[in-house]
Amino acid sequence: MEHCEVLSKKVIEFKPPVYEQRYYFVKNLVNQHGHKKIADLGFGDATLLWMLKYHRCVQYLVGVDIAAKPFEWGGGRLSPGVGSYIIPRELDLTITLYRGSAVQKDSRLCGFDLITCIELIEHLDSEDLAKFPEVVFGYFSPGMVVISTPNSEFNPLFPASTFRDPDHRFEWNRKQFQMWALDVAKLYHYSVEFSGVGDPPAGAEHVGYCTQIGVFQKNSTKPTELSISEPEEHVYEVVYTTSYPSLQQSKYFRFTLSIEAVKAIDLMKSRFLRGPRRKEGDRVVPLGSCTPQHGLTEAQRAEIEQSPKPYSVGEKFYVPLERLLAYPKVNRLVAGSTEKLRTVLAEGLRLNGDQTAVQVELVDYHTQRLFDEHLVSPALES
Amino acid sequence: MSGRARVRARGMARSPSAAEAGRTRAPPSPTSVDTGNNEASSTSSFVGTSRKSQSCQDVVSSGDAGCTFTERGGKIRRDFKDLSVCTREKLAHVRDCKRGSSGVPVKLVTNLFSLDLPLDWQLYQYHVAYVPDIESRRLRIALLYSHKVLSNKAKAFDGVVLFLSQKLEAKVTELSSETSRGDTVRMTLTLTGELPASSPVCTQVFSIIFRKILKKLAMYQIGRNFYKPSEPVEIPQHKLSLWPGFAISVSQFESRLLFTADVSYKVLRNETVLEFMAGICQETGMSCFTQMCEKQLLGLIVLTRYNNKTYRIDDIDWSVKPTHTFRKKDGTEVTYVDYYKQQYDITISDLNQPVLVSLLKSKRNDSTEARVAHLIPELCFLTGLTRQATSDFQLMKAVAGETRLSPMGRQQRLARLADDIQRNKDARFELETWGLHFGCQMSLTGRVLPSEKLLMQDLVCQPGSAAEWSKDMRNCKILSARSLNKWLIICSNRDEKVTEDFLHCLRRVGSSMGFNVDYPKTIKVQENPAAFLSALQRHVDPNVQLVMCILPSYQKSYYDSIKKYLSSVCPVPSQCALTRTLNRQGMAMSIATRIAMQMACKLGGELWAVEIPLKSLMVVGIDVCKDEFNKGMVVVGFVASTNPGITRWFSRCILQRATTDVADCLKVFMTGALNRWHRHNRGLPARVVVYRDGVGDGQLQTLLEYEVPQLLSSVTEASSNTSAKLSVIVVRKKCIPRFFTEGNRSVQNPPLGTVVDSEATRPEWYDFYLISQAAGQGTVTPTHYNVIYDDNGLKPDHMQRLTFKLCHLYYNWPGLISIPAPCQYAHKLTFLVAQSIHKEPSLELANSLFYL
């Protein structure tokens, strides 16, 4: 599908390459509209899906390809990386790949916000091409469809004058594509806008973009009758599925919040230990500021300084929950709720008796084992 | 990193064409639709296979000079390299049998699984040539794999070398495939080797197969291990999460091919490099901020948040900010901020941070230009535990608490893994196509060595438990002690009472163990490190036998300045203790006992002994570790016994510039030890047995070629007539096998003194495993001993028993330990130097265990 770049290399070089431009075209649309459920028909090597998985708004990503093989799919770059576990996404994300054809109906593809068919239709024979609109527009009926296909008017600029790929059944000029698209749009109540990627070289502007793209938007947003009344049809075969850790899952939420709290506490503790202190009853309180310098605006720091101060009693260090709540990252996670902060932190950290502050050890244990020369068993030494 | 390398990195980083934003890009290849990211692609099983078989190439090429693939990258695993060092064949006395005989046989369950192959099984290696030549590895693989001749065959291919488990009909096979552009490509497969299952190449191919299988079981590969991210253990107090998983390998053991699996945890730190830097800034202030950052960060491995790759930090470029631009591969310029927003939907919040620079390993040998990646600190995580973190007692306790597994717990996980492998359809299919059969968990027979008696001053004692005999020693007199007459105690003004109470206990326990402690001169000082140091400078003179410091707080500077001053400037043995420790309720006597024993040793005393049947035997322990501050320096510790009873020691230590862990000064140390022995015993030792610890993977050959000759030459040069016989034993605390005893429908740790010298050992080595320490609640790790040089010709049984005896002689712990005492002494010495002194301790202290 990607050979226009190869053939055009000697004559026309696109920067970035046209296939990348096509993907960025889709990415921009997703940024604009904040699509939640996206399907890519004919996902090929899944590069577009991989690029889309980084969007924060996306929650369901589906790929369908007739050549998807179950055994070759280790998931690779579509599976969550270590980083996705350390900093979980805000929203859930599930990625599923199916083996199936764009001209087969499968009810699991209904109700999407966006369906992309990048360099797909030119691979369909006339019979399939005829079925295609009914399946994608009529049955799947997503909020938006993006279809890209080669613009044959551009072909004379390439050295070889045949199709760009031997598997192409046709390559349309702009008029052919637009007529087809307008017919489809009219029939299924979509509006369509035409665009493209791959600018023609200077002097040849009249041929238009290398790749022509139609962006179809559904006229009515209310769910179609069809997708509700028709029975479930599962003809696609699942070849791969994965889901990402996210803050919507309590396990990851709790851990992320605890980590943010501990980070704030650690910095406070280290400033507390280094700065001047005063004894007030059984408490030792900091005299000066106890706010870390880094990563906060003046205003944020001032707000933190106004909240209840941390203190120590004996070898324990206490940070009031109100204080933690003044830290923007912590605040955002619990949406300002002390009650939520208390409940969640109580599961992973230690709170004081009346549940108003987090309690940690004041002592810096880094060097304890050096000092306690005589108490260290050899199991700890090695 | 060396200064030169940093300059190089800096130079590169500034050249715009070489700058990349944290990614490596392969040159565009004809059908590549990769956007340039270097992650595992959709064809991950191809890539997975080929990456590994690429690493086979070095092995293959050594026996197959005609092949062209030697130039291509790929390193052989270091531990596999050690396995090709055949030391046993040179040791005539163990060529036929390396097994011991004493002790009671014990049946042990292992974490080893048998892998069975048909008797006539062979691996066929082919070289694949393409006409026209194709550069893209991915395309080469796709073209070959799509051919129907190979479609149902088990295969591993990296683009050049193909491995099959079934032979093709002809020696040379011509195939042709069509690219999606319609070009015809001819591929010529030439048989270059038929390898038996025992060949190291096969072992590597088997490893590849198992990696593929574990990925099928939804496990996540990091390094060589596989983890389950779905079941993390979280320790928020320390900003850590742990992933449970397995370290696996396939290799040829004593008599057969075995699959091994051990439970392993991956430690992930939830701390970005930017947060780490902010912490440094807060602690050190701005004045030496950049310097401290470089000191602490360079050389660390970081993980990027977005693409799941790890990089080494080679430099920090303070002149580049996230708002600066870099040139992408396609020639367009983009700022780091925009790039990460566009590509990954990540907003960089700190626009003033510098960038981290990582030199990329060149994948192709023809690329002359080293490439670098620029990384944003905010988007990089620290991985693993820093040495600072590993010395954090609380943190390590928390990690140990979560990761400690009883033998039963471990056994259950192993059983589950084996079950998963056997039940998974894909896994079974993969094994079957290769002709492999995954068998059952292996059992073997070990022996429990007879327990040792302790020799005290006036009695011989059989300890109730060899794990810890402090109770048995109560009211026993230690072997010998010098009386402590002239000594100092330095304490803070506030701690006078604590000190007094402690002194009372110390004198009491001292007299009952035969160690006479007189009253010291007590000096009270202000509560700061400088005050302690100046007190030392004023009051310590060479006549002082020992200085004790009662420290009011945990600040490391107290300890470091005291140890530094008293180990090198004014060499006098010293003893530190924390007020907090001395104040512990109800522990006063036992703490005083332990301190008294340490003090006795520091004055050259001897606590206990075991019976050593060999007369005139010197044992030596060597350990190596990296200096905490100077990353380019290593500390080598050398500790040798100086009497036949093995109760007195000669300890030397040196800091040396080295990039490897291999000791460079052994000849001088060995000669020094022999002189010392000669002076004390009027003659040279008849035998010298050296235990070498701190050996890294892949260093065995170097040890053999470099260290053994050094030791040997000082032993031969020491005497003109009959020189001492030398043995060198490599000690490894980390090893793959685990052993359990079965009973009561559960499994337990084997008894202390269990030796394994068959099945789980290696045919090419004279090696054995010994379990000499108690593990408490966890699973015990056996220590692996590999005798790489042996003139002494001791029977294997004697070698094993000697090693076990030596594990009883560490005076800092009244009980058995996991390695021979001289190694543990050497370790303790290097640790003190690397952590606190950073200098060679004075030679005057060499005759006492001043570092305990």
Side-chain angles (χ1 to χ4, degrees), chain B residues 47-116:
Chain B
V47 175
T49 313
S50 51
R51 193 179 302 141
K52 261 81 79 187
S53 51
Q54 200 171 0
S55 66
C56 306
Q57 290 165 6
D58 282 2
V59 196
V60 183
S61 62
S62 61
D64 196 344
C67 271
T68 52
F69 49 64
T70 46
E71 314 158 354
R72 290 173 56 111
K75 267 190 189 149
I76 175 166
R77 266 176 64 169
R78 290 199 195 138
D79 47 345
F80 278 129
K81 202 163 123 193
D82 283 341
L83 285 177
S84 62
V85 180
C86 306
T87 41
R88 184 179 175 183
E89 61 189 22
K90 296 201 186 76
L91 308 174
H93 62 297
V94 289
R95 214 171 286 151
D96 297 328
C97 176
K98 61 177 181 187
R99 304 190 62 172
S101 52
S102 54
V104 184
V106 59
K107 190 154 185 263
L108 301 169
V109 185
T110 66
N111 58 340
L112 311 170
F113 296 82
S114 63
L115 272 184
D116 299 320

Side-chain angles (χ1 to χ4, degrees), chain A residues 2 6 15 19 24 27 45 50 54 56 72 82 166 263 267 271 294 315 363 366-367 372-373 381, chain B residues 30 33-34 39 45 180 270 275 282 306 308 330 342-343 345 350 391 554 559 580-581 810 824:
Chain A
E2 298 302 333
V6 177
K15 278 185 182 179
Y19 70 86
Y24 277 109
K27 274 175 79 83
D45 69 348
W50 169 74
Y54 290 103
R56 275 180 279 192
E72 304 300 353
V82 182
K263 282 176 182 172
L267 287 171
R271 282 186 78 81
H294 191 266
E315 282 175 356
V363 183
H366 274 326
T367 45
D372 276 346
E373 295 176 323
E381 282 180 6
Chain B
V33 285
D34 192 351
E39 289 179 82
S45 57
S180 48
N270 294 64
E275 286 164 343
Q282 183 157 318
Y306 41 88
N308 204 32
D330 60 38
Q342 276 167 21
Q343 195 78 19
D345 206 10
D350 184 331
S391 69
Y554 285 109
Y559 190 84
R580 188 184 137 95
T581 310
Y810 184 58
Q824 189 67 26

Side-chain angles (χ1 to χ4, degrees), chain B residues 222 225-228 242-248 261-267 403 405 410 413 738:
Chain B
I222 300 177
N225 299 349
F226 291 83
Y227 300 97
K228 281 212 162 131
L242 307 169
W243 286 5
F246 296 94
I248 63 138
D262 195 10
V263 176
S264 151
Y265 283 88
K266 180 71 190 171
V267 178
T403 57
L405 266 183
R410 204 170 277 269
R413 296 227 187 150
R738 299 275 187 155

Side-chain angles (χ1 to χ4, degrees), chain B residues 305-375:
Chain B
R305 174 181 159 185
Y306 41 88
N307 70 353
N308 204 32
K309 288 183 65 179
T310 52
Y311 299 87
R312 205 177 83 118
I313 305 177
D314 292 312
D315 198 7
I316 301 170
D317 194 334
W318 301 91
S319 66
V320 179
K321 303 278 173 244
T323 45
H324 290 193
T325 61
F326 70 98
R327 193 189 301 234
K328 291 209 293 187
K329 193 77 183 176
D330 60 38
T332 52
E333 293 255 338
V334 62
T335 66
Y336 295 97
V337 174
D338 290 344
Y339 175 80
Y340 285 104
K341 182 69 200 162
Q342 276 167 21
Q343 195 78 19
Y344 302 113
D345 206 10
I346 294 175
T347 311
I348 296 177
S349 65
D350 184 331
L351 302 180
N352 284 316
Q353 56 189 316
V355 299
L356 308 175
V357 180
S358 180
L359 289 173
L360 301 174
K361 274 182 220 137
S362 166
K363 286 237 173 81
R364 9 185 93 243
N365 62 318
D366 55 328
S367 88
T368 45
E369 184 190 19
R371 298 175 314 145
V372 301
H374 274 175
L375 309 165

Side-chain angles (χ1 to χ4, degrees), chain A residues 119-126 128-130 132-133 147-156 163-164 168-184 194 207-214 216:
Chain A
E119 307 297 88
L120 172 82
I121 55 168
E122 64 275 11
H123 293 271
L124 303 177
D125 59 30
S126 52
D128 281 347
L129 183 67
F132 175 82
I147 293 177
S148 86
T149 193
N151 166 19
S152 62
E153 291 165 72
F154 199 96
N155 287 357
F163 285 164
R164 297 182 193 177
H168 284 181
R169 306 300 153 92
F170 59 86
E171 283 178 5
W172 281 336
N173 62 27
R174 281 173 290 176
K175 200 175 164 203
Q176 289 170 306
F177 176 57
Q178 290 178 8
M179 271 174 55
W180 176 84
L182 286 165
D183 284 350
V184 169
F194 297 102
V207 305
Y209 293 113
C210 176
T211 299
Q212 46 185 340
I213 300 176
F216 300 74

Side-chain angles (χ1 to χ4, degrees), chain B residues 658-848:
Chain B
T659 42
T660 57
D661 280 354
V662 176
D664 207 2
C665 45
L666 298 182
K667 189 167 176 189
V668 180
F669 286 168
M670 191 68 221
T671 308
L674 290 168
N675 287 341
R676 195 68 60 139
W677 179 285
H678 195 270
R679 209 176 310 154
H680 290 307
N681 306 292
R682 274 168 285 134
L684 286 168
R687 302 170 184 277
V688 177
V689 176
V690 178
Y691 290 89
R692 168 70 157 91
D693 200 352
V695 181
D697 278 341
Q699 291 184 343
L700 214 50
Q701 190 63 38
T702 326
L703 231 68
L704 215 53
E705 285 170 1
Y706 192 60
E707 293 188 22
V708 173
Q710 280 194 66
L711 294 166
L712 205 55
S713 77
S714 74
V715 169
T716 26
E717 283 164 28
S719 157
S720 48
N721 38 42
T722 48
S723 62
K725 301 269 198 299
L726 178 74
S727 302
V728 180
I729 300 148
V730 174
V731 181
R732 300 290 303 258
K733 287 182 291 260
K734 283 185 199 147
C735 59
I736 312 169
R738 299 275 187 155
F739 306 112
F740 316 104
T741 49
E742 259 177 320
N744 287 337
R745 290 223 225 101
S746 131
V747 295
Q748 289 106 30
N749 282 322
L752 291 174
T754 299
V755 168
V756 171
D757 52 12
S758 63
E759 303 280 343
T761 50
R762 306 285 186 170
E764 50 279 270
W765 294 342
Y766 169 18
D767 63 338
F768 60 91
Y769 299 89
L770 172 62
I771 291 165
S772 58
Q773 83 279 26
Q777 303 142 322
T779 312
V780 71
T781 313
T783 307
H784 183 245
Y785 295 89
N786 184 6
V787 186
I788 59 168
Y789 186 85
D790 190 11
D791 277 345
N792 278 305
L794 294 179
K795 281 185 195 158
D797 195 57
H798 292 168
M799 190 57 106
Q800 293 166 4
R801 292 194 64 182
L802 171 66
T803 305
F804 184 52
K805 282 170 185 285
L806 293 176
C807 296
H808 289 75
L809 295 174
Y810 184 58
Y811 289 163
N812 223 6
W813 180 253
L816 265 169
I817 60 168
S818 63
I819 55 175
C823 284
Q824 189 67 26
Y825 286 131
H827 171 77
K828 192 84 170 89
L829 173 59
T830 54
F831 187 77
L832 175 73
V833 172
Q835 288 284 327
S836 301
I837 312 183
H838 312 291
K839 242 185 187 179
E840 244 166 86
S842 166
L843 198 56
E844 285 175 48
L845 294 170
N847 281 329
S848 74

Side-chain angles (χ1 to χ4, degrees), chain B residues 8-20:
Chain B
R8 212 169 62 219
R10 283 220 154 110
M12 291 310 172
R14 296 229 169 88
S15 117
S17 65
E20 287 181 72

Side-chain angles (χ1 to χ4, degrees), chain B residues 310-539:
Chain B
T310 52
Y311 299 87
R312 205 177 83 118
I313 305 177
D314 292 312
D315 198 7
I316 301 170
D317 194 334
W318 301 91
S319 66
V320 179
K321 303 278 173 244
T323 45
H324 290 193
T325 61
F326 70 98
R327 193 189 301 234
K328 291 209 293 187
K329 193 77 183 176
D330 60 38
T332 52
E333 293 255 338
V334 62
T335 66
Y336 295 97
V337 174
D338 290 344
Y339 175 80
Y340 285 104
K341 182 69 200 162
Q342 276 167 21
Q343 195 78 19
Y344 302 113
D345 206 10
I346 294 175
T347 311
I348 296 177
S349 65
D350 184 331
L351 302 180
N352 284 316
Q353 56 189 316
V355 299
L356 308 175
V357 180
S358 180
L359 289 173
L360 301 174
K361 274 182 220 137
S362 166
K363 286 237 173 81
R364 9 185 93 243
N365 62 318
D366 55 328
S367 88
T368 45
E369 184 190 19
R371 298 175 314 145
V372 301
H374 274 175
L375 309 165
I376 307 293
E378 190 179 335
L379 307 181
C380 295
F381 292 103
L382 296 163
T383 59
L385 293 171
T386 57
R387 212 164 309 148
Q388 200 186 18
T390 52
S391 69
D392 183 337
F393 182 74
Q394 291 297 104
L395 187 153
M396 293 311 281
K397 214 172 104 185
V399 171
E402 294 291 351
T403 57
R404 198 186 293 123
L405 266 183
S406 68
M408 195 57 199
R410 204 170 277 269
Q411 171 63 11
Q412 281 161 350
R413 296 227 187 150
L414 286 177
R416 203 174 119 193
L417 175 72
D419 201 48
D420 286 347
I421 292 175
Q422 280 157 341
R423 279 166 190 265
N424 185 288
K425 197 177 63 168
D426 292 340
R428 259 208 330 264
F429 176 78
E430 182 74 20
L431 287 169
E432 275 166 19
T433 46
W434 283 101
L436 281 164
H437 178 256
F438 188 82
C440 52
Q441 202 169 351
M442 202 178 73
S443 294
L444 52 79
T445 308
R447 283 173 294 115
V448 185
L449 297 181
S451 59
E452 293 291 329
K453 293 185 186 68
L454 297 177
L455 314 179
M456 307 298 292
Q457 198 187 75
D458 40 21
L459 78 157
V460 174
C461 141
Q462 179 76 60
S465 158
E468 218 232 303
W469 53 68
S470 54
K471 279 205 189 84
D472 306 275
M473 283 182 56
R474 215 171 275 164
N475 306 319
C476 278
K477 290 216 170 357
I478 58 176
L479 274 183
S480 82
R482 271 176 221 170
S483 83
L484 182 55
N485 313 115
K486 192 171 165 21
W487 65 299
L488 303 176
I489 287 188
I490 304 178
C491 66
S492 81
N493 293 319
R494 282 203 305 180
D495 293 336
E496 205 183 342
K497 172 79 172 62
V498 183
T499 308
E500 233 166 68
D501 293 348
F502 165 71
L503 194 60
H504 175 75
C505 294
L506 185 73
R507 284 170 47 82
R508 235 178 83 192
V509 298
S511 81
S512 74
M513 69 173 68
F515 172 39
N516 177 46
V517 181
D518 279 353
Y519 283 104
K521 178 174 168 187
T522 305
I523 300 153
K524 282 165 285 179
V525 298
Q526 295 267 302
E527 216 180 290
N528 63 64
F532 272 80
L533 188 62
S534 76
L536 292 177
Q537 285 161 342
R538 243 175 305 131
H539 297 281

